[in-house]
Amino acid sequence: TLSVAGILGLTGSQTISGDLDVDGHTNLDNVSIAGVTTAAGAIDLNADLDVDGHTNLDNVSIAGVTTATGNIVANGSIDLAGDIDVDGHTNLDNVSIAGVTTAAGAIDLNADLDVDGHTNLDNVSISGVTTAAGKIDANADVDVAGTLDVDGHTELDNVNISGVVTATTFVGNGD
């Protein structure tokens, strides 16, 4: 048993084969730990922390920039309160958007597009069949370059035909 009431000065390497119990402030210039280290309180690091190998962190709060040089794997939900900026290709399997979405480039959809509600489309080019279940309301000229086939009643207020008209019956007075 060694009991020191003042300063103990040791030079050279020291080997302590039992427990070392230090009460009060301890200033250690260089610490190398070769086993398990347990801290009962907070650990305050004011420099870089370099961890090689697996690290299990239950709760992490980061107040600066975080850089990951490898994959980030999250097996639960990720809740982002700010913007997310992705440079490069992004593969998203299922996306639910609850606000306004703006695309600065072309959007290529390789499946059906289901739109509920009003849709404002400035320029539409359709290269296949278009089916309308309700009325089509055109508030400007309609140019039909091919054949217009109308089945059922058609009400035309003013008709100007430049070409041949073929009718199986004609009702009118000829004026």
Side-chain angles (χ1 to χ4, degrees):
T1 301
L2 174 65
S3 177
V4 178
I7 297 174
L8 174 64
L10 302 173
T11 59
S13 296
Q14 306 301 318
T15 300
I16 300 173
S17 59
D19 292 343
L20 177 63
D21 185 2
V22 178
D23 295 327
H25 177 76
T26 304
N27 188 353
L28 304 172
D29 294 333
N30 191 351
V31 178
S32 177
I33 301 170
V36 175
T37 301
T38 303
I43 297 174
D44 186 2
L45 298 176
N46 294 312
D48 293 343
L49 175 64
D50 186 3
V51 178
D52 294 328
H54 177 77
T55 303
N56 188 355
L57 304 172
D58 293 333
N59 190 351
V60 178
S61 177
I62 301 170
V65 175
T66 302
T67 303
T69 58
N71 291 337
I72 297 174
V73 177
N75 293 321
S77 297
I78 297 176
D79 187 0
L80 299 175
D83 293 342
I84 183 170
D85 185 1
V86 178
D87 296 328
H89 176 78
T90 303
N91 187 356
L92 304 172
D93 293 334
N94 190 352
V95 178
S96 177
I97 300 170
V100 175
T101 302
T102 302
I107 296 175
D108 185 3
L109 298 176
N110 295 316
D112 293 343
L113 176 63
D114 184 3
V115 178
D116 296 326
H118 175 77
T119 303
N120 186 354
L121 304 172
D122 293 334
N123 189 352
V124 179
S125 176
I126 301 170
S127 63
V129 175
T130 302
T131 303
K135 293 181 180 179
I136 296 175
D137 185 1
N139 294 313
D141 295 343
V142 176
D143 186 2
V144 179
T147 302
L148 178 62
D149 184 5
V150 178
D151 295 328
H153 175 77
T154 302
E155 184 176 319
L156 304 172
D157 293 335
N158 187 357
V159 178
N160 183 0
I161 300 172
S162 60
V164 177
V165 175
T166 302
T168 56
T169 59
F170 178 77
V171 178
N173 62 8
D175 291 337

